[in-house]
Amino acid sequence: MNETTMEQLISLCKRRGFIFQGSEIYGGLAGTWDYGPLGVALKKNIETLWWKRFVLDREDMFGIDAAILMNPAVWNASGHVGGFSDPLVEDMVTKKRYRADHLLEACDIDPRGMTLADMDAAIKEKGLKSPDGNVLGEVRQFNMMFKTSIGATEDESSISYLRPETAQGMFVNFKNVMDSLHPKLPFGLAQIGKAFRNEIAPRDFIFRVRELEQMEIEYFVNPNDAAAVDEVFDGLYNQQYQFLTDDLKLTPSKIHKIDIDANDRAHYSSRSVDVEFDFPFGQKELLGLAYRTDYDLKAHMDASGVDLSYFDEETKERFVPHCIEPTFGLGRLLLAVLSDAHMEIKDEKETRTVLRLAPALAPFKACVSPLLKNKPELVAKGREVFMSLKKKFGAIAWDDNGNIGKRYRRQDEIGTPYCIVIDFDTLGENPDLLDTVTIRDRDTGTQERIAISELAVFIQSKLEL
Ligand code: GAP
């Protein structure tokens, strides 16, 4: 077995319809990727597991789906207009722009905790050049929000932004949810949606992109008991970890908890923990957890003049709730799942690819095949089995191309956990085996014979593991 490379993953994703380059027939658009049929299925399965764990299974979480375009006052108040930036440095000859922290990392200099001036000094001291070998300019901040214009006129008053995080949609709806559902603290708002960042250097396939999807929770607590706030923070971290290991079945030894130093935290956070993951290109950020305090609600109260405080009926106290935010990048989770599940298995004859996806994540839960394509009675019985499973599970594949071995390889490559074959015994050639089929397990290669009437229960039991 080999280490998975990004080339292998990218090639598999294109070949089998998981992920394509954005606008590919026009030469692409940097930092954008399109999800094909199998990628959409995998992405939706991750979202469904997330929504179930963090919203449906809990009494204290409520869903939100806010507009991507928001009043620009939101982004002034949240601090994104002033502070949502990355350190940029320009090649003085080609005018190409680079992330200063990435250039330093590439020279084994750890940029964590560095100010702009520190980065500038480090670049000068080491005599760092651009990747094209030219002199670099001063390091400066680059705001990553995409600007757009609303309406028919384009002037200062029409400026808006594509949201760079889903979070603000939840802060600005805090009062609406309070007034309509009257939830008691602590409670959380959860949202899945697109966010946009004008990354200076999109890279590593879907890891760093300009159009991304986030799954975020803003969890509101009473700030007056610091120990209780810490307990909620740690509890949410444990839930994040369990989502990775129990739902997505990621390998625990590839998951790393990183406490973020004060200098490296986002402008709104007073405590941050990131989870990093061993991707094929190294250990990098997968998701985050931040204690945003009352930073956002206070900022929106000040800027909008609307009262966003909470009144505790029991203690008769009024206060602005604090917020703890678990945040997940959906594309990064998908990349972690794919890279962790991907294997190339070599034997004397061939090298074959297997995606060991958990059944709940796999784009297809099972594939149904007739042993021979040119025997109408096998095909008819196969279609009957296929349609009944498809009605129940939706995500069932049909494959009657090539020989059975080739069909198994094709399904292994896209992570289908079970292959069901209808043969002559199914039709009663051996009367003891009438209405039974073979079912092959992707990971062990073993086959067992089970009754058609038991197939749905068998598959359902595997989905719940
Ligand atoms: N609301 C908090 C927030 O947005 P963040 O650390 O900037 O925090 C949260 O982003 C998560 O979104 C990250 O942990 C990562 O998974 C994902 N993410 C951020 N920028 C990304 C990008 N350019 N491409 C892909 N995913 C990204």
Side-chain angles (χ1 to χ4, degrees):
M1 239 174 291
N2 288 332
E3 290 272 295
T4 291
T5 65
M6 285 308 287
E7 287 70 28
Q8 289 168 343
L9 274 188
I10 294 169
S11 153
L12 173 69
C13 282
K14 178 165 165 63
R15 197 170 66 246
R16 299 308 310 272
F18 281 89
I19 301 169
F20 312 118
Q21 195 184 7
S23 317
E24 190 182 285
I25 61 169
Y26 288 100
L29 178 68
T32 65
W33 295 90
D34 295 342
Y35 286 80
L38 299 198
V40 170
L42 176 54
K43 192 149 67 88
K44 284 213 178 299
N45 292 338
I46 296 174
E47 285 179 41
T48 302
L49 289 171
W50 187 89
W51 196 258
K52 177 169 172 4
R53 174 178 288 272
F54 289 105
V55 182
L56 300 182
D57 287 357
R58 299 179 62 127
E59 288 180 61
D60 57 346
M61 296 274 199
F62 307 98
I64 278 277
D65 189 3
I68 289 174
L69 291 173
M70 302 179 83
N71 188 314
V74 170
W75 305 111
N76 279 309
S78 68
H80 284 80
V81 171
F84 189 62
S85 45
D86 269 345
L88 170 144
V89 69
E90 196 168 271
D91 177 316
M92 298 308 282
V93 178
T94 63
K95 303 295 174 200
K96 282 191 208 157
R97 292 163 162 198
Y98 301 95
R99 281 268 297 261
D101 52 338
H102 290 171
L103 291 183
L104 289 168
E105 270 171 5
C107 301
D108 290 330
I109 300 169
D110 185 354
R112 280 178 293 184
M114 282 190 179
T115 61
L116 288 189
D118 292 340
M119 288 189 204
D120 220 34
I123 287 175
K124 297 219 162 63
E125 191 189 324
K126 289 268 168 192
L128 288 191
K129 295 273 173 9
S130 78
D132 291 326
N134 301 318
V135 175
L136 293 164
E138 293 251 305
V139 181
R140 59 194 169 87
Q141 294 290 18
F142 172 74
N143 192 296
M144 293 199 288
M145 282 201 296
F146 278 102
K147 261 189 197 161
T148 186
S149 265
I150 305 255
T153 45
E154 276 188 38
D155 58 22
E156 275 299 301
S157 68
S158 67
I159 288 178
S160 187
Y161 303 92
L162 299 186
R163 68 181 178 199
E165 60 169 7
T166 61
Q168 295 305 323
M170 292 180 269
F171 293 121
V172 302
N173 278 296
F174 176 78
K175 185 169 163 25
N176 283 333
V177 175
M178 287 303 305
D179 291 348
S180 52
L181 269 84
H182 312 287
K184 300 253 174 309
L185 287 184
F187 72 88
L189 300 180
Q191 174 165 225
I192 299 177
K194 293 245 176 180
F196 302 83
R197 298 181 179 191
N198 196 3
E199 293 283 351
I200 299 164
R203 61 180 185 180
D204 295 323
F205 192 31
I206 55 170
F207 178 80
R208 189 176 302 287
V209 292
R210 292 187 167 132
E211 178 175 336
L212 56 134
E213 268 168 285
Q214 292 185 318
M215 304 193 290
E216 296 201 292
I217 294 163
E218 307 307 324
Y219 197 79
F220 298 100
V221 294
N222 182 334
N224 296 332
D225 181 349
V229 174
D230 281 349
E231 211 173 292
V232 172
F233 189 96
D234 294 338
L236 287 169
Y237 175 79
N238 290 338
Q239 283 286 305
Q240 288 187 298
Y241 185 82
Q242 276 167 17
F243 175 68
L244 298 180
T245 54
D246 298 1
D247 295 352
L248 303 191
K249 312 278 189 221
L250 293 178
T251 305
S253 60
K254 292 186 182 173
I255 299 170
H256 311 278
K257 181 180 182 186
I258 311 286
D259 282 299
I260 305 296
D261 285 345
N263 281 347
D264 290 320
R265 282 182 215 134
H267 59 277
Y268 47 71
S269 177
S270 76
R271 181 185 172 196
S272 290
V273 169
D274 277 356
V275 167
E276 294 187 348
F277 185 77
D278 292 329
F279 290 99
F281 44 84
Q283 183 182 319
K284 299 279 176 204
E285 179 189 334
L286 177 60
L287 51 85
L289 179 65
Y291 180 20
R292 292 180 82 129
T293 66
D294 54 5
Y295 177 91
D296 300 272
L297 288 183
K298 273 220 167 112
H300 291 306
M301 269 173 80
D302 290 347
S304 68
V306 175
D307 182 9
L308 301 177
S309 65
Y310 175 91
F311 183 70
D312 190 320
E313 297 286 353
E314 273 166 37
T315 62
K316 306 295 176 207
E317 288 173 290
R318 181 168 286 285
F319 54 86
V320 179
H322 277 208
C323 177
I324 299 167
E325 178 195 63
T327 175
F328 303 71
L330 183 49
R332 286 189 189 180
L333 290 173
L334 191 142
L335 185 56
V337 164
L338 274 181
S339 67
D340 202 28
H342 178 272
M343 316 196 159
E344 299 248 299
I345 300 172
K346 275 196 177 114
D347 58 28
E348 303 91 62
K349 283 195 258 151
E350 58 176 359
T351 301
R352 58 195 186 88
T353 303
V354 181
L355 271 188
R356 294 198 169 187
L357 295 173
L361 291 170
F364 294 113
K365 308 309 170 198
C367 173
V368 181
S369 285
L371 181 65
L372 299 169
K373 190 181 178 173
N374 58 0
K375 295 286 173 199
E377 61 278 30
L378 288 179
V379 175
K381 189 72 184 170
R383 293 297 298 175
E384 198 186 294
V385 172
F386 168 69
M387 288 313 294
S388 75
L389 291 177
K390 187 146 182 67
K391 203 164 173 206
K392 176 149 177 61
F393 298 103
I396 303 289
W398 170 262
D399 191 353
D400 57 7
N401 265 322
N403 64 40
I404 287 288
K406 283 205 175 116
R407 295 180 207 165
Y408 287 162
R409 300 286 165 272
R410 273 201 296 275
Q411 295 301 323
D412 286 350
E413 201 179 43
I414 59 172
T416 308
Y418 300 103
C419 284
I420 295 160
V421 175
I422 282 68
D423 57 20
F424 292 106
D425 287 337
T426 313
L427 303 180
E429 192 164 287
N430 175 348
D432 292 342
L433 300 179
L434 177 69
D435 283 336
T436 64
V437 290
T438 61
I439 183 158
R440 170 194 176 261
D441 182 300
R442 176 197 65 205
D443 299 337
T444 61
T446 54
Q447 292 183 30
E448 55 178 306
R449 208 147 183 118
I450 70 171
I452 290 171
S453 57
E454 285 168 18
L455 276 174
V457 174
F458 177 91
I459 294 171
Q460 186 61 43
S461 70
K462 302 295 180 186
L463 292 178
E464 285 158 16
L465 286 180

